[in-house]
Each structure stands twice: as structure tokens, then as C-alpha cells.
Amino acid sequence: MLMLALGLVLDTLLLLLDPSPRRPVALRVFSFLLPLLVWAPYLALNVRLGLSNLSLELWLGVAVMAGLGGLALSVLVLPPALPAEAERS
């Protein structure tokens, strides 16, 4: 049930942000939020149900690091544009 709700939230986020190479900021935000919004509730529910004994710092840290990994991958897929001076050289 949780994953179904998260899927709907992420589909809504996808429609609102409309990430694409034309909109690199939206792509970066979406790339960060997608893994964060999947892992944080999943790990929190596991802790809440007693299926895991992770501390708050650990499961939030895992979720944030997953988000940063998604952000890093978005930079690899769509690197930042070079400054105009570098292109002329």
C-alpha cells in the first residue's frame, strides 16, 4: 500500500516538475527527490513495524545519500553547460 501511494506521489511530482534536458534544474530536483521519497518512507515504516532497528540518523542518512546519488547520476547524464569563454578557446 505504501509503495502504491509513493508511486502516485512520484507520478504527480513528475507531472509538476516535467524534468527534461531542456529543464536541467527540474531534472536535478526530480533526480534528488525520487530516491529520497522512496527510501525515507520505506525505511521509516520498517522501523515503525519493528522489522529494522535502524536509528533515526541512520535511516534518514541512507535516504539522503540515495537522493544525493540520484543527483550525482543526473549530473553525469546531463553535465552542466560550459561557460561561453571556455567554448571560444
Side-chain angles (χ1 to χ4, degrees):
M1 189 67 177
L2 175 67
M3 289 299 142
L4 178 64
L6 287 173
L8 293 173
V9 167
L10 292 172
D11 282 345
T12 304
L13 187 64
L14 180 65
L15 289 173
L16 291 174
L17 289 177
D18 187 30
S20 70
R22 295 182 275 95
R23 302 181 46 168
V25 173
L27 180 71
R28 307 257 192 270
V29 169
F30 185 75
S31 297
F32 176 75
L33 288 178
L34 183 119
L36 179 74
L37 292 177
V38 168
W39 283 106
Y42 175 74
L43 292 171
L45 181 65
N46 280 336
V47 169
R48 180 83 172 145
L49 293 176
L51 300 174
S52 174
N53 61 354
L54 298 175
S55 66
L56 174 69
E57 294 84 5
L58 188 57
W59 65 261
L60 278 179
V62 167
V64 169
M65 290 304 291
L68 291 174
L71 179 63
L73 285 174
S74 76
V75 172
L76 287 174
V77 170
L78 184 67
L82 292 173
E85 298 89 33
E87 289 178 4
R88 284 186 243 149
S89 301

